[in-house]
């Protein structure tokens, strides 16, 4: 079972992550990790901060000669932007500010923002890269695409750029949806025995933990509109998971992302110190988080799938695990109705 923790603040010195339970013998590609961090950072609709950040990272432990050793993997990412904003008792609507201030008895919303910020997802992306490399070595690969943006139901690079620029000029932000697909997933991952072991529930928890994600579903958008007869004829609509267990088909996941709540023109709020009404203004928010969230989701979900693979097949090294997965694929191939 894979476990991970992250630490660090948005404007602190660095972000830190520890990945535990990861097997030995997985070749780590530093260029791949750097490229995935750049995908997250350079996604359409990002804020000006992303041009300042370069996400220089160090792998502090768990690696020798480019191969994982089975020991906990520790990663550090330096923050370039470290100027902490002035203290403010004005919570931003739609963010964690108000709930966090009330929960921890804080007078400064900035103390909540520093940890609740989506900046932390850089570390989850980095740790997820290790899982993505393990999954790929076992024949499991991920891809994502944005399926809606604002009122666009067909998203292209051109119309997305136009929509984002229009929102920028209007001082507005955009939500949307993305689809995540994993191919090559073996049957039998997860379990129907207990609710918290169902793979769909575990993936849902991981993806709903991404900043701004408000909705999650497994399967095609056509599934709920189909009748039972059509669904039986087209089992691919269920998205590769039935009863909490993978069935050998592609896993299809969909997430809804809300519009970024930080508005350059301000959103109505109330100063918790003076109780006076005021506008909470954001100068650093993204125009949309949908594209970046899709990249993050590939790696966060990869961590859950890697954990499920290790639970099913066991083994402490890739050399042990890979033959077991290959043997299982041969054993189950005839039973999977494609």
């Amino acid at each position: 079972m894979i476990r991970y923790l992250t630490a660090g603040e948005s404007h602190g010195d660095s972000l830190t992550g520890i990945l535990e339970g990861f097997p030995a013998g997985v070749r780590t590609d530093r260029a791949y990790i750097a490229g995935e961090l750049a995908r997250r950072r350079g996604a359409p609709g990002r804020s000006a901060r992303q041009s300042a950040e370069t996400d220089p990272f160090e792998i502090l432990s768990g690696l020798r000669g480019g191969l994982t050793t089975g020991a906990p993997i520790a990663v550090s990412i330096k923050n370039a932007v470290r100027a902490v904003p002035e203290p403010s008792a004005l919570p931003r609507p739609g963010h964690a500010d108000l709930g966090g201030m009330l929960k921890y008895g804080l007078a400064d919303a900035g103390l909540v923002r520093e940890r609740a910020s989506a900046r932390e997802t850089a570390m989850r992306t980095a740790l997820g890269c290790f899982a993505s490399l393990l999954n790929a070595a076992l024949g499991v690969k991920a891809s994502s695409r944005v399926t809606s943006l604002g009122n666009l139901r067909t998203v292209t690079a051109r119309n997305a750029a136009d929509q984002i620029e229009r929102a920028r000029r209007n001082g507005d932000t955009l939500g949307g949806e993305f689809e995540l697909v994993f191919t090559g997933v073996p049957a039998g991952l997860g379990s129907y025995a207990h609710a918290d072991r169902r793979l769909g529930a575990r993936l849902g928890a991981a993806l709903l933990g991404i900043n701004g994600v408000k909705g999650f579903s497994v399967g095609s958008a056509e599934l709920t509109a189909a009748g039972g007869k059509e669904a039986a004829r087209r089992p691919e609509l269920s998205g590769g998971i039935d009863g909490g267990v993978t069935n050998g088909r592609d896993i299809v996941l969909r997430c809804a992302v809300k519009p970024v709540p930080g508005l350059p023109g301000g959103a109505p709020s109330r100063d918790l110190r003076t109780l006076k009404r005021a506008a909470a203004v954001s100068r650093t928010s993204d125009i949309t988080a949908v594209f970046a969230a899709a990249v993050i989701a590939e790696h966060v979900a990869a961590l859950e799938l890697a954990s499920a693979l290790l639970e099913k097949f066991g083994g402490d090294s890739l050399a042990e695990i890979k033959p077991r997965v290959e043997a299982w694929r041969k054993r189950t191939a005839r039973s999977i109705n494609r």
Side-chain angles (χ1 to χ4, degrees):
M1 179 179 178
I2 287 177
R3 300 182 297 173
Y4 65 95
L5 286 172
T6 71
E9 285 77 42
S10 180
H11 295 88
D13 177 78
S14 59
L15 302 171
T16 302
I18 296 177
L19 180 63
E20 197 270 335
F22 197 82
V26 178
R27 182 159 297 282
T28 298
D29 184 344
R30 292 182 62 89
Y32 168 72
I33 298 173
E36 293 305 291
L37 289 171
R39 280 182 68 210
R40 171 196 168 276
R41 198 170 60 245
R46 301 308 306 273
S47 71
R49 176 176 182 175
Q50 304 311 314
S51 60
E53 297 289 354
T54 58
D55 294 338
F57 67 92
E58 291 184 74
I59 302 173
L60 304 174
S61 68
L63 206 65
R64 183 66 59 87
L67 295 174
T68 57
T69 65
I73 297 167
V75 180
S76 174
I77 300 176
K78 286 287 186 182
N79 288 327
V81 180
R82 301 179 193 174
V84 179
E86 291 293 321
S88 171
L90 189 65
R92 301 167 303 175
H95 286 270
D97 296 6
L98 179 59
M101 293 171 76
L102 296 175
K103 177 178 176 65
Y104 292 107
L106 302 173
D108 179 11
L111 296 176
V112 179
R113 296 170 193 171
E114 280 299 294
R115 180 58 187 170
S117 167
R119 174 66 186 149
E120 178 270 347
T121 61
M123 181 51 68
R124 276 187 275 170
T125 300
L127 296 180
C129 284
F130 290 90
S132 295
L133 290 167
L134 170 61
N135 293 346
L138 298 175
V140 178
K141 296 184 179 180
S143 63
S144 65
R145 67 186 182 99
V146 172
T147 55
S148 73
L149 178 67
N151 58 14
L152 294 177
R153 292 299 173 262
T154 300
V155 180
T156 66
R158 176 174 292 184
N159 66 16
D162 290 343
Q163 189 88 331
I164 290 168
E165 180 55 31
R166 189 177 302 114
R168 191 188 308 276
R169 290 197 304 267
N170 293 336
D172 207 352
T173 63
L174 300 167
E177 298 179 336
F178 66 83
E179 181 181 84
L180 179 59
V181 178
F182 284 90
T183 60
V185 182
L189 304 187
S191 175
Y192 54 81
H194 293 284
D196 62 348
R197 293 178 61 195
R198 290 176 179 257
L199 187 58
R202 291 165 56 180
L203 288 165
L207 294 175
L208 287 166
I210 298 172
N211 307 53
V213 172
K214 301 293 282 186
F216 166 81
S217 63
V218 180
S220 167
E222 301 175 54
L223 180 60
T224 54
K229 292 181 179 179
E230 183 181 1
R233 289 195 304 269
R234 300 174 62 193
E236 74 278 2
L237 293 181
S238 68
I241 301 175
D242 288 316
V245 185
T246 57
N247 57 26
R249 295 180 177 274
D250 293 349
I251 291 181
V252 180
L253 310 172
R254 293 181 296 124
C255 290
V257 183
K258 71 178 182 180
V260 176
L263 298 172
S269 184
R270 187 187 296 272
D271 189 301
L272 296 191
R273 192 177 294 114
T274 66
L275 298 183
K276 292 182 179 179
R277 294 189 178 278
V281 178
S282 176
R283 305 295 186 194
T284 59
S285 291
D286 296 341
I287 299 301
T288 182
V290 183
F291 292 90
V295 176
I296 298 160
E298 291 179 27
H299 300 293
V300 170
L303 285 160
E304 290 301 322
L305 280 180
S307 189
L309 282 162
L310 293 175
E311 289 167 14
K312 170 65 180 171
F313 298 104
D316 296 305
S317 70
L318 182 60
E320 284 185 90
I321 302 162
K322 192 170 182 177
R324 296 174 184 177
V325 174
E326 291 172 350
W328 177 256
R329 288 187 193 280
K330 291 179 182 178
R331 177 181 169 186
T332 58
R334 289 187 177 182
S335 301
I336 298 171
N337 176 20
R338 295 186 181 276

